[in-house]
Amino acid sequence: MGASLSNLTDNGATMGPGLGDIPESCVACVFLYLTPPEICNLARLNRAFRGAASSDSVWEKKLPPNYQDLLCFMPPERYQNLSKKDIFALLSRPVPFEDGNKEVWIDRVTGRVCMSISAKAMAITGIEDRRYWNWIATEESRFHVVAYLQQIWWFEVDGVVKFHFPPDVYTLSFRLHLGRFSKRLGRRVCYFEHTHGWDIKPVRFELSTSDGQQASCECCLDETEQDDVNGNHKRGCWIEYKVGEFIVTDSEPATEVRFSMKQIDCTHSKGGLCVDSVFIIPSRLKERKRKGFLK
């Protein structure tokens, strides 16, 4: 495409202006309106496009306003002397903090800030008692471990994060799995011998922020209705349960977000649940991914 456009001719005889004649500064102005993947693709056309695609002035606009807060989680030698383009690439991969139990990164298309929080960073009632809970190592979690509940009467999981979120609307959700899973002869298998109690009463999800925002919802994690083909479709699958949204209008001061899920009706026991993590994702980004516009 680049060769054909940069060698346009007039009636096949006179060489006319092409893409190679566009000043690099003009290309950089156009790049301000494109996404990072689009910029990287156009950088292959010619030298002017390649130069503009490496410009700090272009990539400064693609980075979130608080990108320095993300860099603070890394040793300085990892990002010192890097161009803004390289910093964008660095931050588009998960950046762990708080002993690796939380991660933050920027979306590769929009530059928006996303976060995930491991069950290891949450306060879980009874987690130290092996009669109730176990930690399961797995590659199905970005943190490589999930909390598995065998059986308990009082179920409560609480967490908190304090961070300089850039202005945006965020969705907070829990990632959960009914049943215990493993691999057998190279195939994924699920066991539901401990799975019970989640269809009797709903679980209550809540979130609150340091500036007074609140959201809550209730949901039954299990379903008694059986699908003819797949059985209970909530079992054996990772499901993200949306708790609610909160709005950040300013990065200063840092926003503290508290979240929880609980089922504390002690008239019945419940079990057979994996708790993986909590995600905090910009709502518009989450909606676009749900519709398949972003991968």
Side-chain angles (χ1 to χ4, degrees):
M1 174 184 174
S4 61
L5 288 176
S6 59
N7 292 287
L8 294 174
T9 61
D10 184 15
N11 296 325
T14 306
M15 183 70 70
L19 290 177
D21 300 306
I22 302 176
E24 185 177 307
S25 59
C26 293
V27 177
C29 289
V30 174
F31 281 179
L32 293 176
Y33 299 94
L34 302 181
T35 66
E38 291 170 339
I39 293 171
C40 292
N41 284 334
L42 289 173
R44 305 169 185 170
L45 290 181
N46 58 43
R47 183 178 299 176
F49 279 65
R50 190 160 51 250
S54 300
S55 170
D56 277 355
S57 62
V58 169
W59 290 97
E60 182 84 37
K61 298 295 184 181
K62 305 305 174 184
L63 288 163
N66 71 327
Y67 76 91
Q68 292 287 352
D69 294 319
L70 280 65
L71 291 175
C72 287
F73 295 131
M74 301 180 181
E77 58 268 21
R78 285 198 62 190
Y79 58 83
Q80 284 179 341
N81 303 319
L82 290 182
S83 67
K84 293 297 190 294
K85 178 182 179 180
D86 290 336
I87 289 176
F88 186 97
L90 180 67
L91 296 181
S92 66
R93 297 186 290 271
V95 179
F97 63 104
E98 293 195 13
D99 298 323
N101 292 324
K102 299 177 183 178
E103 292 180 344
V104 64
W105 68 95
I106 60 175
D107 178 69
R108 295 183 179 183
V109 175
T110 65
R112 286 186 158 94
V113 173
C114 307
M115 181 180 290
S116 60
I117 302 162
S118 169
K120 282 277 188 180
M122 304 178 204
I124 302 176
T125 300
I127 191 65
E128 302 300 331
D129 195 325
R130 296 293 295 274
R131 294 175 299 173
Y132 305 134
W133 289 90
N134 287 293
W135 292 106
I136 300 177
T138 174
E139 293 302 312
E140 293 191 15
S141 168
R142 65 189 303 123
F143 296 100
H144 306 294
V145 67
V146 298
Y148 176 68
L149 172 65
Q150 296 184 110
Q151 177 173 296
I152 206 165
W153 294 80
W154 183 288
F155 173 82
E156 186 169 6
V157 178
D158 297 278
V160 61
V161 65
K162 190 173 184 179
F163 186 69
H164 294 272
F165 290 98
D168 214 328
V169 180
Y170 295 88
T171 292
L172 185 146
S173 57
F174 275 84
R175 186 173 187 256
L176 309 173
H177 184 286
L178 278 176
R180 180 166 184 161
F181 55 87
S182 65
K183 281 194 174 181
R184 186 176 180 182
L185 301 177
R187 298 184 63 184
R188 187 182 193 269
V189 293
C190 291
Y191 305 95
F192 304 106
E193 67 270 23
H194 297 139
T195 305
H196 69 283
W198 303 109
D199 58 336
I200 299 175
K201 293 288 181 66
V203 169
R204 182 167 182 82
F205 298 94
E206 296 180 329
L207 76 81
S208 62
T209 65
S210 50
D211 60 357
Q213 299 179 70
Q214 296 183 359
S216 64
C217 67
E218 291 188 346
C219 180
C220 281
L221 303 187
D222 208 358
E223 294 179 342
T224 55
E225 298 85 359
Q226 296 293 309
D227 182 279
D228 292 338
V229 178
N230 300 316
N232 187 326
H233 75 272
K234 285 191 174 182
R235 292 191 174 194
C237 301
W238 285 107
I239 297 178
E240 289 188 21
Y241 291 88
K242 178 181 175 179
V243 180
E245 294 181 333
F246 63 94
I247 301 171
V248 176
T249 58
D250 197 334
S251 293
E252 296 291 344
T255 301
E256 182 178 88
V257 184
R258 295 185 175 274
F259 48 88
S260 66
M261 59 177 295
K262 58 187 70 174
Q263 215 297 351
I264 56 178
D265 184 340
C266 293
T267 61
H268 66 282
S269 65
K270 35 265 175 186
L273 177 72
C274 291
V275 180
D276 174 29
S277 56
V278 159
F279 282 90
I280 300 177
I281 306 291
S283 297
R284 284 201 295 173
L285 174 60
K286 196 171 185 70
E287 181 67 15
R288 290 183 68 188
K289 284 187 174 181
R290 185 183 69 81
K291 292 181 177 180
F293 295 132
L294 296 177
K295 300 297 183 184

